[in-house]
Amino acid sequence: MKFFLISDNTDTLMGMRLAGIEGVLAHEKSEVVVELEKAMKNKETAIILMTKKLIDLCREYVYELKLNCPKPLIVEISDRHGQSEVAETISGYVNEAIGLKI
């Protein structure tokens, strides 16, 4: 099972390639939809990584896929310029679940 990246940022794509994760660049909504459909059809793809900007570009479509398709998993990532509250969100979940503040 493999990761696959759909990014709007060349630096993010190159960094992921250095980590062994293949991917593509997309900038327009139509490009994102085409690349996402290709990645969804690939049986070897377990996790699709998408930059926040691209998910925001076609949010309804991505969320529809997340709700209706059990595989592959679509994960939002931040590029090198992006702001992400992922750490704060995870800390909040842990705090709510077990009462431990990280």
Side-chain angles (χ1 to χ4, degrees), residues 17-47:
R17 283 188 178 163
L18 288 172
I21 298 172
E22 289 300 316
V24 294
L25 284 177
H27 299 285
E28 302 295 324
K29 183 176 182 176
S30 59
E31 294 173 317
V32 175
V33 170
V34 167
E35 295 300 337
L36 190 52
E37 287 175 356
K38 284 183 196 175
M40 295 289 290
K41 290 178 185 176
N42 185 343
K43 299 292 184 197
E44 291 186 14
T45 302
I47 299 174

Side-chain angles (χ1 to χ4, degrees), residues 3-95:
F3 282 84
F4 188 78
L5 171 70
I6 303 174
S7 176
D8 63 305
N9 185 286
T10 305
D11 293 334
T12 302
L13 180 63
M14 296 310 291
M16 290 296 187
R17 283 188 178 163
L18 288 172
I21 298 172
E22 289 300 316
V24 294
L25 284 177
H27 299 285
E28 302 295 324
K29 183 176 182 176
S30 59
E31 294 173 317
V32 175
V33 170
V34 167
E35 295 300 337
L36 190 52
E37 287 175 356
K38 284 183 196 175
M40 295 289 290
K41 290 178 185 176
N42 185 343
K43 299 292 184 197
E44 291 186 14
T45 302
I47 299 174
I48 299 172
L49 304 172
M50 293 182 68
T51 54
K52 180 177 180 356
K53 183 177 177 183
L54 294 183
I55 287 185
D56 289 343
L57 189 62
C58 52
R59 182 168 299 282
E60 295 82 23
Y61 181 68
V62 171
Y63 283 175
E64 180 182 322
L65 290 174
K66 283 181 152 191
L67 288 172
N68 297 317
C69 299
K71 289 197 258 183
L73 180 64
I74 300 173
V75 178
E76 178 179 326
I77 63 168
S78 157
D79 65 16
R80 69 184 183 99
H81 300 293
Q83 299 293 328
S84 178
E85 292 86 28
V86 172
E88 292 84 12
T89 303
I90 293 171
S91 296
Y93 289 150
V94 171
N95 188 15

